[in-house]
């Protein structure tokens, strides 16, 4: 049973455009929702994270939107750059430093 | 502040062999989690270690085992390797009770032939 569903599987955006990646979760006990960025041959790097008590969090060009009632959250990358080309993973966890449950990833390509 | 480091970078083993992977946690972190990432997939939680004891385990068989040492570094051991064990093995460190934030190392690429 996949607890975190991520879409789309791949995404192509032009430089300067907005990249949007969506995730849906099933377990209402999840209380921490991070996004990770992974370049080929590297480990995932924490990008931005949100908790259910807020509906939006912005850090630079990256924004998480959170809809608790719909059990969905999304990552928006504004002014997308070729350097943003990577695989993005949403994840969820509950409690303290509990295990992260990851989505299957979205491969983002930003064309110059 | 030193990040999470893992060794070795790459490893090739044959089916049935045993392997040990190592991880040094980020400075100030006391919890280590291990994940398996198959090609084209998201990381899958194997187990977590805190205070040198296993603190949660994913859906992995007992031939996957681990250790945590007093300096918070950790080892992942896999016995009786199978072809499907070929993956990127990731270590993540965090500070128990402070935050859910987990910081990943670069991983060890294991190939089982």
């Amino acid at each position: 049973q996949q607890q975190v569903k991520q879409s789309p599987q791949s995404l192509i955006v032009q430089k300067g455009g907005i990249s949007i990646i969506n995730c849906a979760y099933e377990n209402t006990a999840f209380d921490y929702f991070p996004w990770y960025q992974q370049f080929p041959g590297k480990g995932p790097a924490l990008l931005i994270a949100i908790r259910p008590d807020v509906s939006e969090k912005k850090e630079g060009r990256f924004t998480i939107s959170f809809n608790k009632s719909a059990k969905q959250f999304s990552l928006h990358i504004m002014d997308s750059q070729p350097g943003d080309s990577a695989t993005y993973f949403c994840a969820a966890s509950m409690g303290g430093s509990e295990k992260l449950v990851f989505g299957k990833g979205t491969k983002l390509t930003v064309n110059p | 502040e030193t990040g999470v480091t893992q060794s070795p970078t790459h490893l090739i083993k044959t089916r049935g062999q045993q392997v040990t992977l190592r991880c040094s946690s980020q400075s100030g972190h006391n919890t280590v989690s291990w994940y398996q990432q198959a090609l084209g997939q998201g990381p899958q939680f194997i187990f977590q270690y805190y205070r040198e004891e296993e603190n949660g385990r994913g859906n992995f068989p007992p031939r996957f085992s681990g250790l945590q040492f007093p300096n918070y570094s950790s080892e992942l051991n896999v016995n009786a390797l199978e072809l499907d064990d070929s993956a990127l093995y990731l270590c993540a460190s965090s500070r128990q009770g402070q935050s859910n934030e987990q910081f990943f190392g670069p991983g060890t690429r294991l190939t089982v032939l």
Side-chain angles (χ1 to χ4, degrees):
Chain A
Q1 182 186 18
Q2 186 183 355
Q3 295 192 59
V4 178
K5 294 184 179 180
Q6 184 172 346
S7 63
Q9 187 174 357
S10 62
L11 181 63
I12 300 174
V13 174
Q14 291 301 118
K15 179 182 175 181
I18 303 174
S19 304
I20 301 174
I21 305 170
N22 301 298
C23 281
Y25 63 97
E26 299 167 0
N27 190 339
T28 55
F30 286 145
D31 61 2
Y32 174 71
F33 302 89
W35 284 89
Y36 283 84
Q37 178 190 57
Q38 186 175 31
F39 292 104
K42 305 292 185 183
L46 180 61
L47 202 56
I48 186 172
I50 198 169
R51 295 191 183 273
D53 53 346
V54 297
S55 60
E56 186 176 281
K57 182 175 182 180
K58 183 177 180 179
E59 291 183 3
R61 296 186 294 111
F62 301 93
T63 299
I64 298 179
S65 296
F66 186 83
N67 186 329
K68 188 174 181 178
S69 61
K71 293 187 287 184
Q72 295 176 347
F73 59 109
S74 60
L75 175 69
H76 295 232
I77 305 175
M78 311 299 289
D79 188 26
S80 299
Q81 299 296 312
D84 297 331
S85 297
T87 299
Y88 292 80
F89 293 95
C90 63
S93 71
M94 67 186 92
S97 295
E98 290 286 341
K99 70 176 183 179
L100 287 169
V101 179
F102 282 85
K104 290 190 173 183
T106 296
K107 183 176 181 180
L108 171 66
T109 302
V110 181
N111 289 327
Chain B
E1 185 177 79
T2 306
V4 179
T5 60
Q6 292 186 243
S7 63
T9 304
H10 295 88
L11 203 52
I12 299 175
K13 292 286 188 178
T14 56
R15 196 170 46 182
Q17 285 188 312
Q18 177 267 342
V19 68
T20 297
L21 311 182
R22 295 177 175 82
C23 169
S24 292
S25 62
Q26 183 168 312
S27 176
H29 286 181
N30 56 15
T31 302
V32 173
S33 302
W34 286 92
Y35 293 80
Q36 180 195 65
Q37 186 177 22
L39 202 61
Q41 300 295 316
Q44 297 286 316
F45 176 76
I46 302 175
F47 43 55
Q48 182 182 85
Y49 276 83
Y50 172 61
R51 290 185 176 178
E52 302 177 47
E53 292 191 357
E54 189 177 288
N55 181 40
R57 187 178 185 93
N59 189 27
F60 281 81
R63 59 189 186 83
F64 285 78
S65 64
L67 286 172
Q68 186 182 33
F69 301 99
N71 66 353
Y72 307 124
S73 66
S74 177
E75 286 182 356
L76 164 65
N77 299 288
V78 186
N79 294 320
L81 284 167
E82 300 177 359
L83 297 180
D84 285 348
D85 295 334
S86 295
L88 181 67
Y89 287 85
L90 296 162
C91 166
S93 74
S94 56
R95 192 174 299 165
Q96 186 69 251
Q98 300 282 326
S99 150
N100 294 75
E101 291 185 344
Q102 294 189 30
F103 296 89
F104 284 82
T108 293
R109 172 70 62 184
L110 172 64
T111 302
V112 182
L113 302 175

